[in-house]
Amino acid sequence: MNENLLKQCQVKLREELVQTRASFVRDLRTNTNPVILELAKELESTSPSDWIDSINEKICPSQFPSYQRLVQIEAALCQIDIGQFGFCCDCEKEIEDELLEQDPATQRCAQCCPNKVPINA
């Protein structure tokens, strides 16, 4: 992967991370469940790096698409940190640049996830 694409993806992911965290807390605040409302308050006073542990115990992740996206973004950023970004989680081949440009949090190449075919394919 070229260094320019890696940097672009990293910037895009970090920007989306901030927006997605805010969206997730807003989603929690609109819920009527007292446990979830309390979680929203807790997250507002907790470092985002500690969120995942607090969240997994108190919600059903599938109820909150913004949370699912948050996990995807954080996984991609972690992969950048450890030098594994841009490799398919199934076959371990490089993910096509076009797919990473479309969604830097993508985890699979076009072959392993055929419904995510690159635009130029």
Side-chain angles (χ1 to χ4, degrees):
M1 166 181 301
N2 79 52
E3 194 65 28
N4 189 37
L5 177 58
L6 178 64
K7 288 182 185 205
Q8 287 175 346
C9 288
Q10 189 171 26
V11 167
K12 190 174 179 182
L13 286 164
R14 290 195 188 285
E15 289 172 355
E16 188 180 354
L17 180 63
V18 171
Q19 296 169 355
T20 305
R21 283 178 176 155
S23 175
F24 176 60
V25 171
R26 278 193 307 273
D27 290 348
L28 293 177
R29 278 196 235 129
T30 62
N31 197 289
T32 57
N33 183 320
V35 172
I36 292 176
L37 291 172
E38 186 60 35
L39 176 61
K41 290 178 188 174
E42 180 183 329
L43 294 180
E44 290 171 330
S45 63
T46 304
S47 169
S49 62
D50 296 328
W51 280 20
I52 301 298
D53 293 333
S54 299
I55 295 168
N56 283 334
E57 300 168 358
K58 297 180 181 167
I59 69 165
C60 176
S62 63
Q63 290 180 305
F64 297 94
S66 56
Y67 175 69
Q68 293 174 317
R69 183 63 183 171
L70 182 63
V71 171
Q72 292 171 338
I73 295 167
E74 289 186 353
L77 287 168
C78 181
Q79 289 167 334
I80 290 172
D81 291 344
I82 64 172
Q84 295 297 313
F85 180 76
F87 293 95
C88 180
C89 65
D90 291 335
C91 71
E92 299 181 4
K93 292 180 183 175
E94 280 195 43
I95 298 171
E96 295 80 358
D97 289 353
E98 295 85 2
L99 288 178
L100 293 171
E101 288 168 356
Q102 290 171 26
D103 180 5
T106 194
Q107 297 290 310
R108 289 177 175 79
C109 68
Q111 185 175 352
C112 292
C113 189
N115 62 341
K116 280 193 167 186
V117 177
I119 293 173
N120 298 331

